Structures are given as C-alpha cells and as structure tokens.
Amino acid sequence: MPRIESTAARLAKLGFADGARAAQLLDRTPADLDDLLEFLVAVADPDLALVSLTRLAEREPAVLDAVRADDRLRARLFAVLGVSAALGEHLVRHPGQTALLAEPDLGEARAALLRAVGAEPDEPEPRADGPDPLVALRVAYRGRLMHLAARDLTGQATLAEVMAELSDLAAAALEAALAVARAEVDDSEARLAVIGMGKCGARELNYISDVDVVFVAEPREGADETKALRSATRLAQAMMRACTAATQEGPLWEVDAGLRPEGRSGPLVRTLGSHLAYYRRWAKTWEFQALLKARPVAGDPELGESYVQAVNDLVWTAATREHFVEDVQAMRRRVESHVRAEGERQLKLGPGGLRDIEFAVQLLQLVHGRLDPLLRRRATLPALAALSRGGYVGRDDSRGLAEAYTFLRQVEHLLQLHRLRRTHLLPTDEADLRRLGRALGMQTDPVGEFTARWRRHAMEARRLHEKLFYRPLLQAVARLPESEARLSTAAAAARLEALGYVDPNGALRHIAALSTGVSRRAAIQRTLLPVMLGWFADTPDPDAALLGFRQVSDKLGSTPWYLRLLRDETAVAARMARVLGTGRYATGLLMHAPDAVAMLGSDQELAVRPPGALRGEASAAVSRHAGEPETAVAAVRGLRRRELFRTAVADISQLLDIETVGTALSSLNDVTLQAALDAALAKAPDVTRFAVIAMGRLGGMECSYASDADVMFVHSPLPGVEEREATDAAFAVANELRRLLSLPAPDPPLLIDPDLRPEGRQGPLVRTLASYRAYYARWSAPWEAQALLRARFSAGDAALGDAFISMIDELRYPSEGLREDAIREIRRLKARMEAERLPRGADPALHTKLGPGGLSDVEWVAQLLQLCHAGGVPALRTTRTIGALRAAAAEGLLDPADELVLAEAWRFASRVRDAIMLVRGRPGDSVPADAGERRLIARTLGYPPDGSEDFLDDYRRVTRRARRVVDRVFYGG
C-alpha cells in the first residue's frame, strides 16, 4: 500500500489529475510505461491518454515498441489520446491503424475510401463490390480522421488546412457512399450530382457535423425524365442511408438535404432546369445566401459544375431582387434572436458565436459581391479577408474577427474530438476546461487563461453588427490613413440601401455632417453612429430616423449632457432611434422640446402621470403668469406637448394599450382645458359660474392624438346678476378659451369643437343650466340624447358640472327605454351617415371611423344598448364604449362572444387611427392606399417588415366579423 501511495503522489506531482487511479492503471499493465510518462504528462489530458494507452497496449503490446522507436508516431498518438476518448476507443478496436500515424501523408482520400468499399477509383461511376462496405467505409474514414486530428493537435496543419481536409474527406465518403448505392440501385437511366452546401461546400467543415447537400439529376440520353428522376431519387436515398445507417462502427454522420428548393417539402432530386426555375421565381434571399457555399462534391462532375455555374449567376444578382432589403432585415433579426435565445456558452449560436460572424460576412458578400467579383469566396476567412482588402470591413475589425473565428473554430474542434459528437456547448466542468486550455497550449493556468481568452474573443465578435455593417459607412465619408482601404461612396450607398434606407445618398450626407471634424462632439458621434445606424435600420423608416437624429443633434449637440447621455445610456439611444424612425408625430414633438430626450431612459419615466400631478403643475404655471393669459397658456401647452411626447413614446414602445392611451390623452386635455379656463377667467368679471362639459371622444375618455375637444359650455349667473350680463361674460370666457388654445405656437393646438350643443352651430355658444333644461325638455331629438351618453364634467365649476350631468341623466337614460319609432330614427340616421358622410373616393372597407365594422359601427351598438336599457341597468351608465359593451355582456344584453368581436374591432380601428397620426404627423381615418405608407403603419403596429399584407388581412377580417354582429344586434338583421 505505501508503494502505491508513493507512486500516486509521484504521478500527481508529474501532472496526472488523479494520481491514485493512474498508479492503479500502471500496476495493472504488464508493460513498463515509466519511460513514457514524461511524454504523457505533456498532453492535454494525461489521465485520459493513460487510460487509452494502457487499453491499447493490452490489445496490441507491439504498439509500445513502435512508440518508443518513432518520435513522430509517439507525438501524434499521445496528442490524439490526450484529447479524444472516441479515437482512443477506435484504436483499441483497430490497433493496426496506429501505424497510420507514422505516415507523413495518406494520399488522396477519394481513392482510399472507394477502395475500402471495393470500388475502382478510376471508373467514371465507381460501384462498391466488397464485403460489408458500410463498416469498411467507417473504419477507413475514421483512420484518416485520426491522422488529420494528430497533425492538427501537434501543430502540423493550420486551421484552414484542417477544415479543407475534413471537407474533402466528407466528399470522399459521399463518393464512396454513392458507390455503395450504385451497387443497390439501378442507375442506368440517370446522371446524379451531389452538391455540397454549408460548411462542406465552403471547405470549412468541422470534425462532426451534418453534411448539407443538394441533389441534381439529368436523364441519360434517350431516357424518360420521370423515370430517371425516380431512379436518381432512389440512388440519393441509398447514398444517404449508407452514411447514416447504424453499424457496429456506428454511423458516419447525418446527410441533410434540407437546403434544397422547398426544403423538406420539396422533391429530394430535381433536374438542373427545375432548380433554376425555382430559384428564378420563388427563392428567398436566405436561399441565395446558402448557395454562396455550393460546390460539386460527388457524382457526375460535369453536371455538378453546370449546376454551380448556373446558380452563381443568380446568387450575385440576388441584391437586385424585389424584397431583398426586407429579407436582409429579417435575416439579421433571426440571427439576433438566436443570439438572445441561446446561452452564452453556445459557441455557434450564442452571443459573439460562430454563426454571428459567418452570417454577417455572407450578408456583406451578397450586398457587395454583385459589383465586386473578388468577394465571391465560399469560405468565411477568405471572404472576410477579401472584404477587408476591398474596404468593406475595417482592417482592424477584420483581423479581430478572424482571430475570434479561428479561436472559436479551434475550440469547437476540440469539443467535438473528445467524444466524436456534434456539440457546440462550452463545458462548465473544470477538468474539461483544463483539457481545452492545455490543448491550446495554455500551461500555467489553463482554466483561467482559456476562460479569459474565450470571453475576450466572444465580446469582440459580439460587436460584429456594429463593426461590420456600420463603421465602414462612417469611414466612407471621413478621412482615413492612406494605408487603409475605405468603402467607396457607391458601396456605402449600396449597403445602406440593403439595410433599408430609401435615400442612401441623403443618409451619407447626414452621416458626414454629424461625424466630420475634430471636435469632441464629432468624436462622440463617430462612436455613437455605428450603433445608431443599426437601430435606425430596424425601425419602420430609417431615413426619417437618421434625419431626425441629425436635427435633434443640431439643436442639442452643444449641450453637455445630450451626447454623454446617448453614449452612456444605451436604453436612451435605442429608444430614441425607435421613436425617430416610427414617424413624424413624436419626432415633431421632440424637435420643439429636445430636452425631453432625458425621459427615454426607463419605462418608469414613460409611465402616465396622474391627473392630479398634472393639474398641480398646470395651475402653478397659470399662477406664475397671472395677468398674462397668453404666456400662461403657452406654458400649459408646453406641458401638454411634453406629456403628449411621453404618451406617444410609451405607445410606440408598446408599454400602453389603446384604452390607456385614450385615458391618458383625455385626462391631459381635461387638465389643459382647466388651466386655459383659469387663465381666461382671471380677467373676466366675476358674475357667473362656468363649466366645460366634455362630449364625444373626450367625454368617453377615448381621445386619439388627433382629437379635437368636443365640448359644451354651461354657466349659471351668480345671485343678483342679470342673466344677460352673465351670458355676455360667459360668452366672452368661452371665446377667450378657444382663442388661447388655438394661438399659433410650436405646440399642437387643442381645438375646441362646440358643435354638439343644442341647435348645433346655429344655437348659442353658451347657455345657462335652465336654458339647457328647457331645450332638452321641448326640442331634443333622439340623436341629441345619444350624443349626451358621452357627456361628463371636464373643467370649471364642479358643482355646476355635476348639476348639468344630473339634469341630462333622465334624457340619456330614459326609465322606459326607447320607443320603437326612436329606435327606427336612430337606425335611419346611422344608415344615412354611412351613405353620405364617407369621403369621396374612400374605400369603405378601410375607413376606420365610418367603414363597416369600424369605430362608428361599434359605438352606435353600445349607445343603442345604453339608450334602451341604461334606465333600468345602472351598470350601463358609462361614457366609455368598451365599458358599455362589457356591462351589456355582463347583464345578459349582449352575447359575450359578440362583445369580444366588437371590442377587438374597436381597439384595432383605434390603434390604426393613432398609428396613422404617429406615422404621418397629421390625422387620417383611412388605411392608406400607398403601399409604402401602409408598411410604415403596419410596422408601427408591431408587424414585421414584410407584414403589410398581413396587417391588411387582419384588419379586414376583424372588421368583417364586427359588421356581422352590427347587422344582427343594431339593425336587427
């Protein structure tokens, strides 16, 4: 026992992680391995290497003599055993293959693997004729794989050489598998070519990967095409089985034909003409991206070359196809969503992973390769180098990304070699990390050094979208050292166009204006702009976003906090980009109050402020400017502008639903009316009480960004004051209120619309409470009772307002409901309005207010239910449309399913109206006929860049369903 403990300690000191286990292995091995220990402890995992070596020595003792006699064999064998448990197992099963490691070169892979399956390499179409060809193929393949891994791990092959040889080995295996298939399937009628795609096509394959292929076939001379395709399909299927079939040596790898036209839904094999027809008519941009890698790898070489030459012409014109920009944006979003979805330890799909770099390089090739043939490279590293030489990627960025890519691919190879399994997940176990670090030459602190280096490279690659896509755009308009190539103006414009900018030359002018110069401001802009340009590209209108950013920067650029805030607070800059790129409304508000940028930093800053707080602030503004009503109201309108911006940004950021937006805007209008009224009353004689009654959408707390303030004015003379004197004073107050709120100013006006008053425009602007009571008792029509359903107190004397509301309750909530003749009158009025009020030339189906299933339809259903039943059902006594529908359903007056349909249509139409205002900066009731404008509105509503037609379909579907409910519930159909 003491001797074992002493040996264990000695072995641990030498470098074995588990000295006791290593001692036991040496004790059980008949051969003396002491002279080999110094070589074993130099490998990545000495413990793993010792396990495999002792098993191999037991199986074939002569191996030890060979190892001692041949330094190259020993170095290669120990390097493999110290990294790959799977290849150690392979050698234990096939110890004779150890001798392969002594060979400097194994010759051509294709000939060797064809001979392994009993096929003749020199035949035009080799056919397998050996015993158990599938096992023979796997053994021969793994022997060559082991030889390559040995040269890789001992530094005798570069990463590029390793990837290329792995790809050629896979191609040779496909050729051998095709020879096996020919022995099973009659191929007399068809010529078949196998096209390598993905990493196999690009000659950058890793050790264990699915091999992506596409099959193309042609009938032999005189053969029927249909029969030939059936024969070729059987041949392709047999070839795939030869690679994936389970044997005593396991499968080779999966053969994946999913990149073919129509994917897995399409035929496995097509003719060349069928491939080209599909690509010319139906292919998406990502399919051309995949074709960048296409290379003939097996089968008929002439047919394979014809395929690649034909598709190359299509690949490099993909940037001129319709929807290319939308496809590029969707592809970028897909990669970024992968980055977010996968864990950070994912080498391939995680943040700063391999897919990031490969994808960005391929997109830049597609954008610029049409005009620059030097970019037409299949593999990532050569393509990245070509992009750098052409100035499409910064030289330092290219070098940093190439280093990151090389490191990540080396780590990926080491991970896969360990068990010969397809994996991209970085381990957390310290022993595994130690093996990786030591395999990469890190000896002092392999775990710490490896982890630090991995994080550094991942962080560098994580910024690739900023660096690869956007920084060269600045370099195109800035002075650079003569030694560095720069993006030409034409190339910069092409890239901006591919990213979604409609006016790329205008965008370049903005970039130049912002970033040129030696000032600190220009220096910070050069840091900010690459990131901002990417965020602008993700908005509905990148051009407007960049223009808005320049305008705001021109106003605030000399302010110390502005650029510092954008540089240091990512959330502010990102949200600002989204706001500027959504439309003119919020941008216009920001232009006149650029310091509102400061509220973009957090969701809490964008929360709707309580009405009480707003009333206090507005009242204080009026008090500060006592005796100066115009100045006081200007300050209040500035407050309103700021809160409109807050609500618009929260809306654009999807932090508010449409009902909350309506409530926020209505409360803000109430506060504005009260403050303006206070200013108007300050100079008026104190002879009457005055109240503002909200009507329409303001009364329903359903204001949109474009809403006027529908109101009525009521007053009540103070005791001892003549009614005439009081009425004149009230009339003057009402007109002053309207004047103050409509004065020319940079802020959005709040227009007062008093047309819902008795007798409309022909009636007096202001009435006493008694006058209203008398009018409604004698003259009111059903439509006026309907309009009063939305009436509520808004501003002024609260007691007077409450008295008015109490007075009208009897009219709008009749205790006996509506008579049949009144119901018929309301229906006639609605039908006439539909026929007469729709604007000339408007598409009724797309008019959000008056169209079928639009706002008017839903609101009239709710109001008819209120007029008929609110007298006996207090729950219906609300000014809000959705609240009335909800109450009607709860009281059994409306089918709950109908309530959901109507509410969905009302919300959708309201959101569309608001989106029109946000995008255009001016009101509109119809979904735009212009496809570009409609796309912007769809994006604002949350649809993807290609979702304009989906938006239109959704709107038509929702309103069509609502109209069916209206016909049944309102018209009784």
Side-chain angles (χ1 to χ4, degrees):
M1 183 64 70
R3 188 184 66 79
I4 295 177
E5 289 177 350
S6 171
T7 304
R10 180 173 64 88
L11 292 172
K13 190 174 180 180
L14 276 174
F16 288 90
D18 189 344
R21 183 164 182 254
Q24 290 172 354
L25 285 171
L26 290 172
D27 268 2
R28 288 204 303 263
T29 304
D32 181 9
L33 301 180
D34 276 6
D35 60 322
L36 299 177
L37 293 181
E38 64 174 301
F39 303 109
L40 280 174
V41 295
V43 303
D45 188 340
D47 299 74
L48 176 64
L50 182 60
V51 170
S52 295
L53 182 62
T54 54
R55 293 184 62 208
L56 180 58
E58 288 175 14
R59 179 72 188 271
E60 181 55 72
V63 165
L64 295 178
D65 294 333
V67 163
R68 290 185 173 99
D70 189 329
D71 291 348
R72 176 163 58 191
L73 171 62
R74 183 186 63 241
R76 288 180 173 182
L77 175 63
F78 284 12
V80 168
L81 297 183
V83 165
S84 180
L87 287 175
E89 184 69 36
H90 175 77
L91 279 174
V92 170
R93 291 197 309 274
H94 305 283
Q97 287 200 340
T98 306
L100 294 175
L101 297 176
E103 299 296 330
D105 182 83
L106 297 184
E108 188 199 17
R110 178 182 178 276
L113 295 192
L114 282 170
R115 290 192 184 97
V117 298
E120 178 50 57
D122 294 332
E123 289 183 2
E125 294 180 344
R127 197 173 305 269
D129 188 26
D132 211 348
L134 298 190
V135 170
L137 172 60
R138 283 149 177 75
V139 172
Y141 175 88
R142 293 208 178 95
R144 300 185 74 91
L145 188 79
M146 176 188 65
H147 187 272
L148 174 58
R151 290 186 288 118
D152 180 8
L153 295 169
T154 54
Q156 296 167 29
T158 66
L159 176 67
E161 291 168 343
V162 170
M163 294 190 297
E165 191 167 328
L166 284 168
S167 305
D168 293 343
L169 183 56
L174 290 172
E175 190 75 80
L178 191 56
V180 173
R182 289 193 187 102
E184 300 175 11
V185 176
D186 178 14
D187 66 335
S188 60
E189 295 183 316
R191 299 159 56 210
L192 179 70
V194 185
I195 308 299
M197 305 288 283
K199 287 183 167 58
C200 180
R203 297 188 80 221
E204 54 185 12
L205 202 62
N206 43 32
Y207 278 98
I208 298 295
S209 173
D210 292 353
V211 174
D212 296 310
V213 300
V214 165
F215 295 105
V216 58
E218 290 292 337
R220 297 188 191 275
E221 189 172 350
D224 176 76
E225 183 176 300
T226 303
K227 290 182 179 178
L229 283 175
R230 279 201 294 266
S231 170
T233 300
R234 288 193 295 271
L235 189 64
Q237 290 168 335
M239 187 207 82
M240 294 170 75
R241 281 196 305 274
C243 295
T244 59
T247 69
Q248 65 197 51
E249 291 293 325
L252 273 182
W253 16 250
E254 290 292 319
V255 178
D256 188 346
L259 292 176
R260 66 185 183 269
E262 300 180 76
R264 300 186 192 284
S265 302
L268 182 64
V269 180
R270 291 175 183 255
T271 63
L272 178 55
S274 177
H275 276 280
L276 296 179
Y278 171 85
Y279 288 128
R280 286 175 180 140
R281 185 167 184 186
W282 302 112
K284 301 285 188 184
T285 298
W286 71 263
E287 293 177 278
F288 292 109
Q289 182 188 11
L291 287 172
L292 280 171
K293 309 289 189 183
R295 173 176 71 97
V297 292
D300 190 304
E302 184 181 340
L303 178 57
E305 284 297 338
S306 298
Y307 173 92
V308 170
Q309 288 177 14
V311 298
N312 271 347
D313 293 338
L314 298 176
V315 167
W316 301 114
T317 57
T320 64
R321 291 166 57 92
E322 190 178 2
H323 304 307
F324 175 77
V325 170
E326 291 87 343
D327 286 348
V328 168
Q329 291 174 328
M331 290 152 72
R332 285 179 53 242
R333 278 198 312 279
R334 189 166 66 245
V335 166
E336 287 160 2
S337 68
H338 282 160
V339 166
R340 289 190 292 270
E342 299 291 338
E344 68 163 9
R345 303 187 78 82
Q346 243 279 4
L347 289 178
K348 182 176 181 180
L349 298 178
L354 293 163
R355 177 67 61 85
D356 266 6
I357 300 170
E358 292 164 353
F359 199 92
V361 168
Q362 290 162 25
L363 283 186
L364 289 176
Q365 285 181 279
L366 283 178
V367 170
H368 299 296
R370 178 171 63 97
L371 300 176
D372 189 346
L374 295 177
L375 302 183
R376 300 175 185 180
R377 313 295 177 96
R378 291 190 180 101
T380 301
L381 289 174
L384 185 56
L387 286 164
S388 177
R389 285 193 297 272
Y392 304 98
V393 173
R395 186 176 57 196
D396 291 341
D397 297 338
S398 171
R399 185 186 304 113
L401 284 163
E403 289 173 0
Y405 185 79
T406 299
F407 176 77
L408 292 172
R409 287 303 304 266
Q410 287 173 332
V411 175
E412 179 187 44
H413 284 179
L414 291 170
L415 284 175
Q416 294 181 347
L417 275 172
H418 183 49
R419 299 286 181 194
L420 284 187
R421 288 179 187 161
R422 186 171 178 250
T423 179
H424 305 95
L425 191 63
L426 207 62
T428 55
D429 181 75
E430 189 162 315
D432 291 329
L433 292 173
R434 182 172 181 270
R435 183 179 64 255
L436 290 173
R438 284 172 60 90
L440 291 167
M442 303 168 190
Q443 300 295 330
T444 307
D445 176 17
V447 175
E449 288 179 50
F450 171 79
T451 303
R453 189 171 166 195
W454 162 63
R455 291 191 186 282
R456 184 177 76 250
H457 283 306
M459 284 180 64
E460 175 69 14
R462 201 172 302 178
R463 295 194 294 268
L464 83 142
H465 286 292
E466 169 195 342
K467 288 179 171 290
L468 287 193
F469 282 106
Y470 307 112
R471 195 174 300 283
L473 296 171
L474 271 70
Q475 296 168 342
V477 295
R479 293 185 175 182
L480 291 176
E482 291 301 319
S483 59
E484 181 160 346
R486 81 176 185 182
L487 205 61
S488 69
T489 302
R495 184 175 305 185
L496 282 165
E497 191 171 3
L499 290 166
Y501 290 82
V502 176
D503 180 13
N505 292 317
L508 284 173
R509 287 193 295 273
H510 296 320
I511 294 169
L514 286 163
S515 62
T516 301
V518 296
S519 67
R520 180 176 176 274
R521 172 181 170 183
I524 295 177
Q525 286 283 18
R526 286 193 289 272
T527 301
L528 279 173
L529 269 170
V531 186
M532 298 296 288
L533 288 168
W535 284 331
F536 295 154
D538 289 332
T539 68
D541 191 344
D543 299 82
L546 180 55
L547 171 62
F549 181 66
R550 179 180 175 185
Q551 291 171 331
V552 174
S553 295
D554 286 346
K555 288 199 172 190
L556 287 180
S558 58
T559 309
W561 58 266
Y562 167 67
L563 289 174
R564 187 172 64 245
L565 177 71
L566 294 183
R567 183 192 63 197
D568 298 340
E569 298 288 340
T570 302
V572 175
R575 185 164 273 152
M576 182 180 178
R578 172 71 178 164
V579 168
L580 294 173
T582 292
R584 297 177 181 174
Y585 182 76
T587 300
L589 294 171
L590 186 60
M591 289 299 125
H592 295 111
D595 54 348
V597 166
M599 75 171 64
L600 300 177
S602 70
D603 293 352
Q604 289 75 20
E605 283 287 327
L606 297 175
V608 175
R609 293 184 65 201
L614 293 176
R615 278 195 297 270
E617 187 176 347
S619 177
V622 173
S623 298
R624 275 197 311 274
H625 301 288
E628 301 175 330
E630 292 183 1
T631 307
V633 171
V636 172
R637 286 175 62 176
L639 178 155
R640 180 170 180 265
R641 173 192 58 214
R642 184 194 68 207
E643 296 308 315
L644 285 173
F645 180 72
R646 190 191 310 275
T647 302
V649 174
D651 189 4
I652 290 166
S653 304
Q654 299 182 342
L655 300 175
L656 306 177
D657 60 37
I658 189 62
E659 291 169 77
T660 307
V661 170
T663 300
L665 296 175
S666 302
S667 296
L668 180 59
N669 288 343
D670 283 346
V671 168
T672 306
L673 286 169
Q674 181 65 63
L677 179 59
D678 290 343
L681 285 170
K683 286 193 171 183
D686 188 16
V687 295
T688 189
R689 295 185 298 151
F690 191 95
V692 181
I693 305 301
M695 302 288 286
R697 303 192 78 77
L698 176 60
M701 301 296 287
E702 297 163 356
C703 282
S704 68
Y705 297 107
S707 291
D708 295 342
D710 292 319
V711 300
M712 295 196 300
F713 300 117
V714 59
H715 78 104
S716 179
L718 293 177
V721 177
E722 290 289 334
E723 185 172 316
R724 178 70 184 173
E725 179 188 358
T727 298
D728 288 347
F731 182 80
V733 167
N735 275 329
E736 176 68 355
L737 174 64
R738 297 171 73 187
R739 184 187 75 84
L740 289 171
L741 288 174
S742 60
L743 285 171
D747 310 300
L750 179 58
L751 300 178
I752 305 297
D753 185 351
D755 290 351
L756 289 175
R757 65 188 185 271
E759 301 179 77
R761 295 181 183 178
Q762 307 306 314
L765 181 64
V766 183
R767 288 177 183 260
T768 64
L769 186 61
S771 175
Y772 275 109
R773 184 181 290 113
Y775 174 86
Y776 287 135
R778 185 171 183 186
W779 302 109
S780 73
W783 73 265
E784 289 179 299
Q786 183 181 354
L788 288 171
L789 287 168
R790 302 220 131 162
R792 65 172 178 83
F793 169 71
S794 173
D797 190 294
L800 178 59
D802 290 343
F804 180 90
I805 297 302
S806 297
M807 180 266 294
I808 64 171
D809 277 353
E810 185 178 343
L811 180 65
R812 61 181 178 171
Y813 305 140
S815 58
E816 302 300 323
L818 281 187
R819 299 191 309 273
E820 277 299 319
D821 61 329
I823 294 175
R824 284 195 298 273
E825 175 63 23
I826 288 174
R827 287 171 175 165
R828 272 198 303 271
L829 184 62
K830 174 75 168 70
R832 194 173 78 224
M833 187 179 73
E834 290 177 12
E836 296 175 1
R837 290 185 57 188
L838 199 69
R840 186 187 301 274
D843 181 351
L846 298 180
H847 199 278
T848 61
K849 183 176 180 181
L850 301 175
L855 295 170
S856 177
D857 266 5
V858 178
E859 289 164 0
W860 282 58
V861 168
Q863 291 159 15
L864 183 60
L865 289 168
Q866 288 178 291
L867 289 169
C868 290
H869 302 287
V873 182
L876 284 170
R877 297 175 188 177
T878 175
T879 63
R880 303 184 183 217
T881 303
I882 296 297
L885 292 173
R886 195 177 292 127
E891 296 291 336
L893 301 171
L894 181 66
D895 188 303
D898 290 344
E899 184 255 324
L900 291 175
V901 168
L902 293 172
E904 182 185 16
W906 186 90
R907 291 188 182 103
F908 201 161
S910 297
R911 290 180 64 223
V912 172
R913 283 183 96 198
D914 276 358
I916 291 170
M917 184 67 176
L918 288 171
V919 168
R920 289 177 168 174
R922 63 180 191 278
D925 290 322
S926 287
V927 175
D930 178 72
E933 203 168 51
R934 193 166 63 239
R935 180 182 62 81
L936 296 180
I937 289 165
R939 290 291 309 279
T940 302
L941 291 169
Y943 286 85
D946 56 354
S948 177
E949 292 306 309
D950 290 340
F951 155 59
L952 211 53
D953 290 345
D954 288 347
Y955 182 78
R956 287 186 166 129
R957 174 180 53 79
V958 168
T959 53
R960 204 162 44 233
R961 291 173 61 203
R963 181 62 186 202
R964 286 198 290 268
V965 176
V966 172
D967 287 339
R968 177 162 34 82
V969 175
F970 183 84
Y971 289 110

